[in-house]
Amino acid sequence: MDPSRLNLAAILASQNPYIDPKIEAYEASTRNFLKAVSSYGNRAVTEITNRKNAYVSEKKRIADKTQQIETEITDCKNREIELLKQLEKEQQETKEAESSVSALRKQLAAIRQKCASIDVELEQYRAVTANLRREKAKERSILETHAAGLLPELRACQDRLQCVVEGIDRDRLLFRFAAIDKTAPDREYSFVLDVSSKIYKVITTTPLLPTLPILLDDLNETRDIYAFIAKMRHAFRDMSETIPSV
């Protein structure tokens, strides 16, 4: 009902004046309004609830993210502390290594200097050795010349004494006599003389000679090897006379 179009005079002039308030339309409009208000309220509550839930979820996400970041920061700090300790240890090891390298370099320099000195001494020793070798070769040549000259005399002495002389070791001579025992010509009579020192020594005799100590003392006193060989032959011959033939 539109009040601006209401003809009040006409209504009052009628026999039964009546104004239709249109209650049903009003009630319908009121219901629609209340429904709209209720729908708006429900939408508002739903929106508020959704926003609240989103806020709570976002707050929780931010809290979790903050906790995660704080944990990562703590881990980073701990890692930083470990790295600093490791760096300090490496720096200390580097200092020790540098100190060791410096000491080794000094030792190397000293060793090189010592090696240079040794090289000089080695060259001197080589020169001395070369001189000694030349002198030894010269002496050997002289000895070979003398030996060649004495060889006939040695052979004559061996033939006369019926004795063979052999070098069996350094500074050791084997004297082997022949024609000692006519009844047993194959029986061995020999001795080994050690001439490595000023005091002559007889290492062994075949057979054992009881008078050897006396003959050896006489040799060391007189230094006459030729007489000693002759005495040894006579001693073996005297012994052969007492040994029964086999």
Side-chain angles (χ1 to χ4, degrees), residues 132-185:
L132 291 175
R133 285 178 178 174
R134 286 192 293 269
E135 293 178 0
K136 187 174 182 180
K138 185 177 179 181
E139 291 177 355
R140 181 178 297 174
S141 178
I142 295 172
L143 289 175
E144 289 176 354
T145 302
H146 285 299
L150 293 175
L151 185 59
E153 183 179 351
L154 176 62
R155 289 178 178 175
C157 182
Q158 289 179 349
D159 293 338
R160 185 174 179 181
L161 295 176
Q162 293 294 308
C163 174
V164 177
V165 182
E166 299 178 8
I168 61 172
D169 200 353
R170 182 180 179 86
D171 299 325
R172 289 185 178 181
L173 299 174
L174 171 64
F175 295 85
R176 184 181 293 110
F177 296 102
I180 295 292
D181 190 350
K182 294 180 180 181
T183 61

Side-chain angles (χ1 to χ4, degrees), residues 30-44:
T30 300
R31 285 196 298 274
N32 290 334
F33 174 74
L34 293 176
K35 185 177 179 181
V37 171
S38 176
S39 178
Y40 175 77
N42 291 333
R43 288 199 303 274

Side-chain angles (χ1 to χ4, degrees), residues 43-175:
R43 288 199 303 274
V45 170
T46 302
E47 182 67 19
I48 291 171
T49 301
N50 290 335
R51 291 184 179 183
K52 180 180 178 181
N53 292 334
Y55 171 75
V56 171
S57 178
E58 182 68 15
K59 183 178 179 181
K60 184 177 182 302
R61 187 185 68 80
I62 293 174
D64 293 341
K65 187 66 175 179
T66 302
Q67 182 65 31
Q68 181 182 357
I69 292 173
E70 289 178 352
T71 301
E72 291 177 356
I73 290 173
T74 302
D75 292 340
C76 288
K77 287 181 178 180
N78 294 332
R79 182 60 178 169
E80 181 182 5
I81 293 172
E82 293 296 328
L83 290 175
L84 289 175
K85 290 181 179 179
Q86 185 176 357
L87 179 60
E88 184 179 359
K89 182 179 179 181
E90 290 178 355
Q91 290 176 348
Q92 182 66 27
E93 291 177 352
T94 301
K95 290 181 180 179
E96 293 177 356
E98 291 176 352
S99 178
S100 298
V101 169
S102 179
L104 290 175
R105 285 177 178 173
K106 291 180 180 179
Q107 292 179 2
L108 180 60
I111 291 173
R112 285 178 176 173
Q113 185 177 2
K114 187 175 181 179
C115 288
S117 176
I118 292 174
D119 288 338
V120 174
E121 294 180 0
L122 183 60
E123 290 298 328
Q124 294 176 353
Y125 286 135
R126 285 175 179 172
V128 172
T129 302
N131 292 331
L132 291 175
R133 285 178 178 174
R134 286 192 293 269
E135 293 178 0
K136 187 174 182 180
K138 185 177 179 181
E139 291 177 355
R140 181 178 297 174
S141 178
I142 295 172
L143 289 175
E144 289 176 354
T145 302
H146 285 299
L150 293 175
L151 185 59
E153 183 179 351
L154 176 62
R155 289 178 178 175
C157 182
Q158 289 179 349
D159 293 338
R160 185 174 179 181
L161 295 176
Q162 293 294 308
C163 174
V164 177
V165 182
E166 299 178 8
I168 61 172
D169 200 353
R170 182 180 179 86
D171 299 325
R172 289 185 178 181
L173 299 174
L174 171 64
F175 295 85

Side-chain angles (χ1 to χ4, degrees), residues 195-240:
V195 295
S196 61
S197 62
K198 293 182 178 181
I199 299 177
Y200 296 114
K201 299 177 182 178
V202 173
I203 305 302
T204 181
T205 63
T206 303
L208 294 177
L209 193 61
T211 59
L212 175 62
I214 299 174
L215 298 176
L216 193 58
D217 290 339
D218 186 54
L219 169 63
N220 287 311
E221 183 177 352
T222 61
R223 314 296 294 178
D224 190 346
I225 294 181
Y226 296 105
F228 175 73
I229 296 173
K231 291 178 180 178
M232 288 290 292
R233 179 177 179 83
H234 288 304
F236 279 133
R237 178 172 293 176
D238 293 339
M239 177 181 287
S240 69

